[in-house]
Amino acid sequence: MPRTIIIAGNWKMNKTPSEATSLARDIAQNIGKQAVPSVVICPPFTALHAAATQIAGSAVRLGAQNMSDKASGAYTGEISAAMLRDSQVSAVILGHSERRSYYGETDAIVNKKTIAAIEAGLSPIVCVGETLSEREANKTFEVIHAQICGSLANIQPVQTENLVIAYEPVWAIGTGKTATPAMAQEVHAFIRKELAALFGEPAAQGVRILYGGSMKPDNADALLAELDIDGGLIGGAALAAKDFLALVESGRKAS
Ligand code: PGA
């Protein structure tokens, strides 16, 4: 079975509910019921409801940018998987490099969140990626190996059906510097090998591995043409409907 391409927009800490209403409306009106590629928008928590209202009835799916590993209780400021599910959310970005670097999320924390997401029926989009100094020290594969094994510990092959990985080299996020398609493909192929070692080859072949880091309409076609690049996790270019829809079109052409 070919892997359906995913074009996911990570809005980060941008868009008020009113701004999200207009962006989600523009995206949903354009995508309609077109199911390929699979389109996901990930607004901030406060805009989930507004976005859900606009995309209702379209093929656009809703994602969140983070969640708690706990089910409920005295965890002030946290949001649970069940709360996301009941807000029409079907996917959740976990372990983004900004959460790892600014909020101290370790692989062990990302692992707990990933398991909680899977158990709640959410599709986790687990982010990994090396920093510039790690790349320059030739540690890229070592770092990715540790992040993949740590973030995906204690997960069974049958639980990988909706698992998505995003390879986001930290040096490429929001910097305008993109990994070349060959550089990205090399790491994506390595990630798939790691997944095969953890879950077996058939499961690994089914996992979508997205590229993230300054993906734009003018570099997306070349990235998406690579064998193991199954879509994009897009930050900056997901904040304007025109750019995001151009990326969706690249996803459609590559499908
Ligand atoms: P960017 O962000 O597209 O702005 O580089 C990607 C991401 O951080 O998910």
Side-chain angles (χ1 to χ4, degrees):
M1 268 256 293
R3 297 181 290 268
T4 308
I5 286 182
I6 298 175
I7 300 294
N10 174 9
W11 295 6
K12 308 194 180 184
M13 198 172 73
N14 296 292
K15 306 293 177 187
T16 62
S18 351
E19 291 164 344
T21 295
S22 104
L23 179 53
R25 183 196 302 128
D26 289 350
I27 293 168
Q29 278 178 354
N30 200 283
I31 305 292
K33 296 200 185 299
Q34 177 189 304
V36 176
S38 181
V39 176
V40 185
I41 55 172
C42 305
F45 293 130
T46 46
L48 286 173
H49 178 70
T53 305
Q54 295 305 317
I55 64 177
S58 80
V60 179
R61 291 193 301 131
L62 197 57
Q65 301 171 19
N66 181 29
M67 60 167 240
S68 173
D69 62 305
K70 308 287 194 303
S72 66
Y75 301 102
T76 302
E78 292 292 300
I79 301 282
S80 73
M83 292 169 185
L84 295 180
R85 281 298 302 260
D86 200 44
S87 306
Q88 278 73 56
V89 168
S90 61
V92 58
I93 299 169
L94 296 174
H96 188 280
S97 67
E98 288 149 17
R99 301 244 24 116
R100 291 176 185 264
S101 66
Y102 304 142
Y103 303 101
E105 287 196 15
T106 60
D107 289 325
I109 294 172
V110 177
N111 181 231
K112 283 192 195 163
K113 293 184 175 191
T114 304
I115 292 172
I118 291 172
E119 286 176 349
L122 291 167
S123 168
I125 304 175
V126 177
C127 303
V128 297
E130 80 287 2
T131 62
L132 183 60
S133 60
E134 288 163 345
R135 177 160 281 267
E136 286 174 348
N138 285 321
K139 289 195 168 149
T140 298
F141 295 109
E142 196 181 308
V143 167
I144 302 290
H145 169 78
Q147 289 176 334
I148 289 284
C149 293
S151 305
L152 303 180
N154 303 313
I155 291 171
Q156 304 308 311
V158 293
Q159 296 179 298
T160 61
E161 200 186 339
N162 296 314
L163 173 67
V164 177
I165 305 295
Y167 168 55
E168 301 205 304
V170 178
W171 48 270
I173 296 177
T175 58
K177 287 189 199 133
T178 325
T180 63
M183 274 161 90
Q185 166 58 25
E186 188 186 25
V187 180
H188 282 233
F190 175 77
I191 291 172
R192 202 172 305 283
K193 260 193 11 218
E194 295 280 298
L195 294 173
L198 287 173
F199 305 120
E201 189 61 33
Q205 285 300 327
V207 175
R208 263 78 61 83
I209 308 175
L210 315 184
Y211 171 79
S214 299
M215 195 186 239
K216 301 267 174 336
D218 65 359
N219 59 28
D221 289 350
L223 285 159
L224 294 173
E226 296 291 340
L227 186 65
D228 290 292
I229 301 186
D230 308 315
L233 180 56
I234 296 125
L239 296 176
K242 184 166 166 282
D243 291 340
F244 187 66
L245 290 168
L247 288 161
V248 172
E249 177 57 17
S250 292
R252 194 192 58 76
K253 281 189 291 180
S255 296

